[in-house]
Amino acid sequence: MEAKLFFQETTVVVFVLGGPGSGKGTHCPKIVEHFGFTHLCAGDLLQAEIESESENGTMIHNFKKEGKIVPSEITVKLLQQAMQQSDNKRFIIDGFPRNEENRAAFENIVGLESFYVNSKSYNLLLVKIKPEFVLFFDCPEEELTRRILNRNQGRVDDNIETIGKRLKVYFESTLPVINYYNSKGKVQKIDAQRSVDEVFEDVKSVFAKFKPVARVDSTK
Ligand SMILES: Nc1ncnc2c1ncn2[C@@H]1O[C@H](COP(=O)(O)OP(=O)(O)OP(=O)(O)O)[C@@H](O)[C@H]1O
Ligand SMILES: O=c1ccn([C@@H]2O[C@H](COP(=O)(O)O)[C@@H](O)[C@H]2O)c(=O)[nH]1
Ligand SMILES: [Mg+2]
């Protein structure tokens, strides 16, 4: 009898971008809760490298303190590992890609997709995972600065000097990435200057096509 392919999941990636303090980290957990995505925050993955005192930890710490963008090979590897370790296929990637180099490096990742034949799982190599869309939290500079200075989470980069550098990097390097995806019709722009509840109403509309799904438990 011919083997029957009855189930295939494909990886869905949504990039979440916006200036520092625009609300990415506030809204991503809500997206996880409502739509079953896994939240990968590039900044948090880098921070974990600093805290684990890995070989790149000191270098990453210095980049973060200066508001500079860590080389793509480090960030993309961390993201790729996190995606491979997850049993989910839906990812929101928060605060990445930060620049053109990040974008190109991510889009050249070789992705691993699973499919099932007669209940048996197989892996299939797929090249180039493209983002489904980019969720863009649009917020004016003065509001970003105000929010970061009030954040009070003890971040090494939440001070007036580093904020200036981060904003410069955002306008010079990250906005062009958002503009690139906009030219491809892939940007969902949200007015992030309103209250968290109002902003999340718009976010929900953008994700409405993703109904929450039961997660595949890889341990069974
Ligand atoms: N709509 C909002 N109105 C008022 N304050 C907000 C709003 N959204 C987020 N905040 C607050 O602003 C601060 C920054 O938000 P958040 O950490 O979500 O930003 P971010 O985009 O993840 O920033 P970063 O890029 O620096 O990580 C937090 O203290 C958060 O509580
Ligand atoms: O893709 C990335 C993400 C982050 N960084 C560095 O980390 C800090 C903090 O990032 P947040 O997203 O604001 O938490 C950022 O300023 C960069 O120094 C990075 O290099 N690449
Ligand atoms: Mg954040």
Side-chain angles (χ1 to χ4, degrees):
M1 201 176 97
E2 201 181 310
K4 195 173 165 214
L5 180 80
F6 62 89
F7 179 51
Q8 181 172 3
E9 276 191 293
T10 45
T11 302
V12 175
V13 165
V14 172
F15 291 142
V16 182
L17 294 175
S22 58
K24 302 180 294 295
T26 300
H27 290 280
C28 283
K30 292 169 176 286
I31 299 169
V32 169
E33 189 193 327
H34 284 74
F35 300 101
F37 277 70
T38 290
H39 175 202
L40 299 179
C41 174
D44 288 353
L45 291 172
L46 292 167
Q47 181 62 28
E49 285 295 287
I50 297 172
E51 284 165 21
S52 70
E53 295 176 14
S54 73
E55 57 170 333
N56 292 317
T58 306
M59 184 265 274
I60 296 171
H61 173 81
N62 291 335
F63 270 72
K64 183 168 178 174
K65 222 168 78 184
E66 289 303 311
K68 289 184 184 161
I69 300 168
V70 172
S72 300
E73 68 218 53
I74 293 176
T75 317
V76 168
K77 196 166 133 211
L78 292 171
L79 287 169
Q80 195 173 5
Q81 279 169 354
M83 289 171 77
Q84 282 168 355
Q85 282 161 11
S86 172
D87 59 10
N88 200 354
K89 288 279 183 183
R90 295 175 167 186
F91 299 96
I92 36 174
I93 300 191
D94 163 356
F96 179 95
R98 284 300 231 248
N99 62 11
E100 199 47 36
E101 189 209 3
N102 279 179
R103 183 191 69 73
F106 186 90
E107 290 198 359
N108 279 320
I109 284 184
V110 177
L112 196 62
E113 294 284 337
S114 306
F115 65 96
Y116 299 84
V117 177
N118 290 343
S119 304
K120 229 176 147 224
S121 167
Y122 296 87
N123 286 324
L124 168 75
L125 274 181
L126 275 189
V127 279
K128 299 189 181 177
I129 302 170
K130 298 253 181 224
E132 186 85 0
F133 61 85
V134 175
L135 184 67
F136 169 35
F137 289 106
D138 187 28
C139 194
E141 196 172 333
E142 315 75 64
E143 175 69 6
L144 296 176
T145 306
R146 195 186 64 74
R147 286 185 191 176
I148 293 177
L149 289 176
N150 287 330
R151 181 155 53 182
N152 224 1
Q153 286 176 358
R155 282 178 53 152
V156 69
D157 53 350
D158 278 358
N159 57 75
I160 195 68
E161 197 192 338
T162 313
I163 291 168
K165 293 177 182 173
R166 288 161 73 195
L167 285 167
K168 188 166 186 288
V169 167
Y170 168 68
F171 287 112
E172 287 179 1
S173 302
T174 312
L175 256 189
V177 175
I178 296 167
N179 291 337
Y180 166 84
Y181 283 120
N182 197 33
S183 73
K184 308 247 169 231
K186 285 199 165 194
V187 171
Q188 296 284 351
K189 181 162 128 176
I190 306 280
D191 173 4
Q193 205 182 0
R194 297 161 300 151
S195 72
V196 171
D197 287 349
E198 285 171 309
V199 172
F200 194 60
E201 279 308 305
D202 283 5
V203 172
K204 276 199 287 193
S205 315
V206 169
F207 278 83
K209 67 174 175 170
F210 297 106
K211 296 266 180 286
V213 288
R215 301 267 300 272
V216 178
D217 185 348
S218 61
T219 59
K220 284 184 187 159

